[in-house]
Amino acid sequence: MSLGLTKQLTRLHQVSHYQLTKHFTTMPCPFLTKLTTAYVRNYAPTLLKMYGSQCPVMSQSMSSMASASKELEEPDNSVTKKCPFLNEVTDMVKEASQEDIIELDSKPVNDVFQYDKFFHQQILKKKKDHSYRIFKKVNRLAGPGQFPKAVEYSWGERPITVWCSNDYLGMSCHPEVKNAVRTALDQYGAGAGGTRNISGNSIYHEKLENTLAALHQKEGALLFTSCFVANDSTLFTLAKALPGCHIFSDEGNHASMIQGIRNSKVPKHIFRHNDPEHLEELLKAVDVNVPKIVAFETVHSMTGAVCPLEELCDIAHKYGALTFVDEVHAVGLYGNHGAGIGERDNQLHNMDIISGTLGKAFGNVGGYIAGSASLVDMIRSYAAGFIFTTSLPPTVLAGAVKAIEILASDEGRELRTRHQENVKYLRNTLLRHGFPVEHTPSHIIPIKIGNPQQCNQVSDMLIKQKGHYVQAINYPTVARGQEKLRLAPTPHHTKELMDMLVSDLEEIWIKLGLSFTGLQCSKECKFCNKSILFDYFEERTRKCSNEIICNIPNCPQMVAAL
């Protein structure tokens, strides 16, 4: 139905109400005056189809679209005599026809929706604001001594060094992990064969879940195809199941957590990033008897910030909440056995639900949760993201078990020590050269640029001209204005490689006219003003008090650290 006719009908409805109320209360129009304006606007096409031919005004417009305006301005006298209403509203109809009739496109109105055109327009938006993603074609090399080398194919084949991988310790290339995967492949094949309930459950699945539960000192664990699915499914399922549940979510939480919370449609409260005081303020406003979940990450994936774990957990439990703690960027990297920040800070008992990944420091793929036996069994029984998907294959399970065993051993502790040393060396070298490094005590080194186009330029020039792969991080991974390079050095990067990276990055920085603004944090930053405290928070395992040395009697930094 013509948009012009629809708007005409709506305008005539408004005119008829005014005129008939004022002058013709004895002659109500059966097609208009008994209906509200909103009803006419919403159902105009149906009204026109059913009753338009009976109306002396609208029938003319319907009979000839091309001459609708002219015929309404000069109505036929014989038609006018049939409807007294028309005599009074002719002038207003003329005005309506001039102002409200909208010209139609030449294409037929019943064309199907232009899907490809719409998709193209959405992509153009991303390209215009420089948030469109072009994936680098990178084949990482896994031979003896090759990690972290790779071959890149985006602009022709070239050897590169990878500086941004989440394979933080190189476990995907570890010879024992590869042998475990190879053995599982030969014995059990490449695929799982089905869901956990339909032929997809093996002794490897149960062995890995038991290993993860023991690692995190929990009664049970549950595997998912990714930690995105683990976070999304667990938070959604818990929030929907707990009666009257409220969720308290850190504003910096990962998209997987946000999606599960949003889809649950339960009341949610957002507290400032890593801010225990704000969390307590929000928790106070909800009755202590109401089921509550407090969800946050230990290590933030993009800024590298480390949460005040003990404070957040204590406040959550004070107000009767469960804690859901994402350790994705911490497992394998912190703690005496690689169980994450929770183990390092002796807070595993305070964490009700822990989510982690097999795809980063453990060098494989997949996600999991760990918690009490009853909680894990409830999620196993109700979470659609667990129930209705093919389970992880035996190759992944075997590789993950071996990686966890290695990182819980002396070899794992030695890897974490070398890793921390390399992170500290590269961070300090970048700072000495004046790069805008965000100062956080984790293994992630963000260099803030704040402009998506410039961020992409630096990344592309590094890989094309210098052979360094450092990924540009743009919206929506980070907020607009927070665009950055994200460096993640491993234990296998040498000091020579790190010095070369800094030198090459400095050359490109100058070429693009970027500023060497230095450390990106406030002057009141506790880490900048308290170097011993920073070292304490940077540690992969917590040191005893006699291992923290300061020559100043009653040093306040030592007191704060201990």
Side-chain angles (χ1 to χ4, degrees):
M1 184 57 65
S2 162
L3 183 57
L5 289 173
T6 300
K7 293 198 72 177
Q8 268 195 31
L9 184 60
T10 304
R11 182 59 178 265
L12 288 174
H13 171 263
Q14 294 168 347
V15 169
S16 68
H17 264 296
Y18 172 77
Q19 287 290 345
L20 291 172
T21 301
K22 189 174 181 181
H23 299 294
F24 295 97
T25 54
T26 59
M27 291 191 304
C29 175
F31 302 108
L32 298 174
T33 55
K34 292 183 179 180
L35 307 173
T36 66
T37 302
Y39 185 92
V40 173
R41 184 180 299 112
N42 293 334
Y43 296 95
T46 302
L47 292 171
L48 285 167
K49 183 176 180 180
M50 295 179 64
Y51 305 114
S53 61
Q54 303 175 39
C55 174
V57 177
M58 298 311 298
S59 60
Q60 295 181 65
S61 296
M62 295 174 67
S63 65
S64 178
M65 288 296 299
S67 60
S69 178
K70 182 177 178 181
E71 291 183 12
L72 284 170
E73 289 175 6
E74 299 176 4
D76 182 82
N77 289 335
S78 61
V79 174
T80 304
K81 291 177 182 177
K82 295 178 183 178
C83 183
F85 167 76
L86 190 58
N87 290 324
E88 294 294 326
V89 300
T90 297
D91 291 339
M92 292 188 180
V93 171
K94 190 180 297 183
E95 179 186 347
S97 66
Q98 292 169 352
E99 294 180 359
D100 293 343
I101 293 180
I102 299 173
E103 293 295 330
L104 296 174
D105 294 335
S106 58
K107 67 179 182 180
V109 296
N110 61 347
D111 268 6
V112 297
F113 187 80
Q114 300 299 303
Y115 295 101
D116 281 342
K117 182 178 179 181
F118 173 80
F119 299 147
H120 180 66
Q121 289 170 344
Q122 300 310 302
I123 293 302
L124 282 180
K125 289 180 184 178
K126 302 290 289 181
K127 290 183 175 181
K128 286 178 180 178
D129 66 11
H130 302 287
S131 64
Y132 181 73
R133 299 180 176 195
I134 299 174
F135 299 146
K136 304 291 192 298
K137 300 176 180 66
V138 177
N139 283 356
R140 297 190 307 130
L141 301 176
Q146 289 184 309
F147 185 90
K149 298 294 184 181
V151 180
E152 205 276 334
Y153 297 90
S154 299
W155 297 280
E157 184 175 335
R158 59 165 55 79
I160 61 169
T161 301
V162 179
W163 294 93
C164 54
S165 172
N166 288 336
D167 188 3
Y168 293 125
L169 301 176
M171 294 307 293
S172 69
C173 306
H174 194 288
E176 291 184 40
V177 173
K178 291 193 295 182
N179 284 336
V181 171
R182 191 178 296 112
T183 299
L185 178 64
D186 291 340
Q187 290 183 346
Y188 304 110
T195 66
R196 290 288 293 272
N197 189 52
I198 306 175
S199 82
N201 185 56
S202 69
I203 58 172
Y204 272 117
H205 289 87
E206 297 186 8
K207 180 179 180 180
L208 179 52
E209 286 175 340
N210 291 335
T211 300
L212 290 166
L215 178 68
H216 293 289
Q217 299 175 23
K218 299 298 178 188
E219 296 175 343
L222 190 67
L223 291 169
F224 290 82
T225 51
S226 73
C227 199
F228 191 107
V229 178
N231 285 348
D232 177 13
S233 297
T234 302
L235 284 169
F236 173 83
T237 304
L238 279 176
K240 295 292 284 186
L242 292 168
C245 181
H246 285 233
I247 291 187
F248 297 78
S249 176
D250 187 294
E251 67 177 353
N253 276 344
H254 189 265
S256 57
M257 302 168 77
I258 293 171
Q259 178 161 304
I261 294 167
R262 180 185 294 134
N263 289 345
S264 73
K265 295 183 170 57
V266 303
K268 63 178 182 292
H269 312 265
I270 312 299
F271 61 94
R272 289 187 292 271
H273 185 44
N274 289 344
D275 189 335
E277 292 181 359
H278 190 218
L279 171 61
E280 183 165 24
E281 179 185 327
L282 296 175
L283 283 167
K284 282 180 179 178
V286 179
D287 193 294
V288 70
N289 296 316
V290 172
K292 294 176 283 289
I293 301 169
V294 175
F296 56 94
E297 304 174 39
T298 53
V299 178
H300 193 269
S301 59
M302 292 298 129
T303 66
V306 180
C307 77
L309 179 59
E310 184 175 5
E311 290 178 81
L312 290 173
C313 288
D314 285 348
I315 289 170
H317 292 145
K318 178 181 177 180
Y319 294 94
L322 286 173
T323 53
F324 181 99
V325 187
D326 180 312
E327 286 261 48
V328 164
H329 289 272
V331 290
L333 299 173
Y334 299 86
N336 197 44
H337 302 89
I341 298 293
E343 183 186 27
R344 186 198 71 173
D345 292 0
N346 297 312
Q347 292 299 309
L348 289 174
H349 65 284
N350 241 351
M351 303 159 75
D352 299 307
I353 311 160
I354 297 171
S355 72
T357 183
L358 307 172
K360 293 181 171 56
F362 292 137
N364 282 267
V365 67
Y368 64 89
I369 62 165
S372 69
S374 57
L375 182 144
V376 168
D377 198 23
M378 200 274 283
I379 299 300
R380 183 188 72 87
S381 301
Y382 287 91
F386 170 81
I387 296 170
F388 300 105
T389 191
T390 301
S391 63
L392 291 172
T395 50
V396 167
L397 305 170
V401 167
K402 179 55 66 174
I404 293 168
E405 290 174 353
I406 293 169
L407 292 182
S409 70
D410 288 339
E411 181 182 351
R413 286 183 276 277
E414 190 271 335
L415 276 172
R416 284 190 285 275
T417 299
R418 283 167 45 204
H419 186 211
Q420 182 187 352
E421 290 171 353
N422 281 358
V423 170
K424 182 179 291 189
Y425 180 84
L426 181 55
R427 183 196 296 118
N428 290 339
T429 304
L430 288 164
L431 286 171
R432 281 199 306 271
H433 284 75
F435 287 99
V437 175
E438 296 178 0
H439 205 204
T440 54
S442 73
H443 59 282
I444 296 167
I445 306 175
I447 303 176
K448 185 176 179 180
I449 294 179
N451 179 294
Q453 186 175 15
Q454 292 174 337
C455 208
N456 288 333
Q457 283 179 314
V458 174
S459 176
D460 290 346
M461 290 173 71
L462 274 173
I463 200 169
K464 287 196 286 187
Q465 299 178 15
K466 304 297 183 180
H468 302 292
Y469 178 30
V470 182
Q471 183 60 45
I473 307 297
N474 294 335
Y475 178 85
T477 305
V478 294
R480 299 186 194 278
Q482 296 297 316
E483 293 82 6
K484 63 194 67 184
L485 300 176
R486 179 186 181 274
L487 292 166
T490 72
H492 307 284
H493 287 90
T494 64
K495 288 185 178 179
E496 290 75 22
L497 282 174
M498 291 186 276
D499 289 339
M500 185 182 300
L501 169 68
V502 174
S503 176
D504 291 341
L505 181 59
E506 186 176 37
E507 181 182 327
I508 289 171
W509 211 263
I510 293 170
K511 189 178 295 185
L512 292 175
L514 300 177
S515 300
F516 292 90
T517 54
L519 203 60
Q520 293 296 292
C521 56
S522 66
K523 293 180 180 178
E524 292 75 27
C525 173
K526 64 181 179 181
F527 296 138
C528 297
N529 293 329
K530 300 178 180 179
S531 57
I532 294 176
L533 187 61
F534 183 84
D535 291 341
Y536 176 74
F537 278 104
E538 193 181 31
E539 292 292 346
R540 302 307 167 86
T541 55
R542 281 284 182 248
K543 291 186 175 181
C544 297
S545 58
N546 58 7
E547 295 182 85
I548 301 177
I549 301 171
C550 180
N551 296 323
I552 302 173
N554 301 316
C555 171
Q557 292 188 45
M558 279 190 62
V559 173
L562 301 175

